[in-house]
């Protein structure tokens, strides 16, 4: 299984974020799960990639040319794809991945997971999308998503399709049990 991980190019201000990214990366590496991610060696991106590689796994990075220096491209990956721009990066990551998960991160992390979640709703793919809720990081966002449902802007089946996990095994179990909802407008 190839899992795309979206996460911060920084580590945040709580060591729990670092520790949980390491644990998830080690779990991937030890269980034959390949990482697909943004290709940087900084922040949580670098932490999870290093943990996967150190545990015997494979890590595939996808980084735009103009971010190669800013995010400091990880040169020790199984393979590093250098692409033209962010649109190409996201498309390549989606192509390589069997599932998607957002670890703690900022606006870019949210944009990436929301895009693949939207694509799933529209039937562009039937792959699972998840939030790795380290230390309750995504609770307020999940409350907002529930507000979207309660306010009539999102059907419950599309909020229900999101996976919420806070341990590696729960994440993988949820991915393996995932069944996509009916596609919009079919």
């Amino acid at each position: 299984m190839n899992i795309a991980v979206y996460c911060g190019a920084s580590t945040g201000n709580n060591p729990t974020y670092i520790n949980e990214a390491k644990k998830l990366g080690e779990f991937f590496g030890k269980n034959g799960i390949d990482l697909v991610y943004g290709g940087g060696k900084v922040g949580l991106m670098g932490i999870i990639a290093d943990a996967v590689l150190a545990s015997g796994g494979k890590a595939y990075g996808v980084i735009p040319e103009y971010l190669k220096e800013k995010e400091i491209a990880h040169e020790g990956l199984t393979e590093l794809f250098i692409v033209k721009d962010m649109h190409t990066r996201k498309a390549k990551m989606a192509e390589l991945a069997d599932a998607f998960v957002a670890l703690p991160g900022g606006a870019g992390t949210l944009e990436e997971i929301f895009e693949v979640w939207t694509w799933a709703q529209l039937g562009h793919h039937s792959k699972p999308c998840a939030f790795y809720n380290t230390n309750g990081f995504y609770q307020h966002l999940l409350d907002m998503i529930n507000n979207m449902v309660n306010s009539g802007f999102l059907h419950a089946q599309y909020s229900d399709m999101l996976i919420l996990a806070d341990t590696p095994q729960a994440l993988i179990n949820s991915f393996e049990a995932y069944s996509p909802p009916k596609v919009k407008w079919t």
Side-chain angles (χ1 to χ4, degrees), residues 93-117:
M93 288 177 69
E95 172 192 325
L96 293 171
D98 300 310
F100 309 94
V101 61
L103 273 62
T109 300
L110 291 180
E111 187 271 335
E112 290 170 321
I113 192 69
F114 269 72
E115 183 169 61
V116 293
W117 176 37

Side-chain angles (χ1 to χ4, degrees), residues 73-117:
H74 197 305
E75 300 296 337
L77 301 175
T78 306
E79 190 167 357
L80 178 64
F81 299 92
I82 301 170
V83 296
K84 179 182 172 188
D85 54 32
M86 286 298 286
H87 297 292
T88 309
R89 176 197 227 178
K90 293 184 294 181
K92 183 67 173 176
M93 288 177 69
E95 172 192 325
L96 293 171
D98 300 310
F100 309 94
V101 61
L103 273 62
T109 300
L110 291 180
E111 187 271 335
E112 290 170 321
I113 192 69
F114 269 72
E115 183 169 61
V116 293
W117 176 37

Side-chain angles (χ1 to χ4, degrees), residues 114-132:
F114 269 72
E115 183 169 61
V116 293
W117 176 37
T118 301
W119 289 352
Q121 291 177 53
L122 298 173
H124 292 294
H125 68 77
S126 58
K127 303 171 186 178
C129 300
F131 288 98
Y132 202 74

